[in-house]
Amino acid sequence: MTVTAHIQETNAQELQRAWTGEAIRLATDSVANGGGPFGALVAKDGEVVAIGNNQVTASLDPTAHAEVSAMRAACKQLGTFSLKGCVLITSCEPCPMCLSSALWARVDRIVYAADRHDAAVAGFDDRRFYDLFETKPASMWPMQVEHLDLPNRTAPFDAWLARSDRIEY
């Protein structure tokens, strides 16, 4: 690997960590504002295109997950239904609905912080839904899905559990 390639790879990894930290911040802010503990952003060509947070209870829409909200906003911003060339960064491992939405949007890659087991501890147990989709290993998927384990990955869930007025779902 050349020095230039190494620097570019290091910068890309730092940017990815910063974006993942931003998704965690969005999720934590969502909780503080009465929303669910999930945040996401879509980036393209090194720039954030759109952000989203969980709006399920606020909008009474079970599909208003952070990832879907961010992808909808990115499509509007970019003027297209295809997010080819984009990366979806999320505070938590996307549920099967959000994974399917990312596939339909043609997202190149997904990076997430907390995983499905972290979410289950906070009362968001979608593990039974994942079981329905476990027919092909992730290595065979048309996009890369990557877990980035940051130390503060559960901060949104910690904030969620600390709220006495949260709406369970």
Side-chain angles (χ1 to χ4, degrees):
M1 176 179 290
T2 67
V3 172
T4 302
H6 178 72
I7 290 170
Q8 288 174 337
E9 183 177 318
T10 300
N11 289 342
Q13 290 171 348
E14 289 176 9
L15 190 55
Q16 182 174 286
R17 291 181 73 78
W19 287 339
T20 306
E22 176 64 9
I24 292 169
R25 186 195 64 75
L26 289 167
T28 305
D29 287 353
S30 178
V31 172
N33 294 319
F38 301 93
L41 61 88
V42 174
K44 184 174 186 175
D45 300 328
E47 299 291 328
V48 173
V49 174
I51 61 172
N53 67 297
N54 183 280
Q55 295 290 317
V56 170
T57 59
S59 64
L60 304 177
D61 178 356
T63 68
H65 291 199
E67 298 89 343
V68 171
S69 298
M71 287 186 288
R72 286 175 179 160
C75 287
K76 286 181 183 174
Q77 179 67 28
L78 295 171
T80 180
F81 61 86
S82 174
L83 296 178
K84 187 168 178 52
C86 294
V87 59
L88 174 64
I89 309 281
T90 71
S91 63
C92 186
E93 181 177 6
C95 73
M97 178 189 71
C98 293
L99 283 171
S100 297
S101 297
L103 285 166
W104 275 107
R106 308 300 193 256
V107 168
D108 283 2
R109 192 164 55 96
I110 296 174
V111 178
Y112 64 92
D115 65 20
R116 64 184 80 171
H117 308 292
D118 296 321
V121 169
F124 296 90
D125 194 354
D126 296 344
R127 291 177 294 193
R128 64 182 180 207
F129 301 143
Y130 290 98
D131 292 343
L132 297 171
F133 293 88
E134 293 292 331
T135 59
K136 284 192 175 185
S139 62
M140 295 180 68
W141 289 22
M143 69 180 165
Q144 181 182 354
V145 179
E146 179 182 342
H147 180 214
L148 183 60
D149 188 11
L150 295 183
N152 63 336
R153 73 180 190 280
T154 62
F157 297 127
D158 298 339
W160 172 258
L161 290 171
R163 286 193 66 110
S164 60
D165 62 341
R166 67 183 179 267
I167 299 172
E168 301 286 343
Y169 63 96

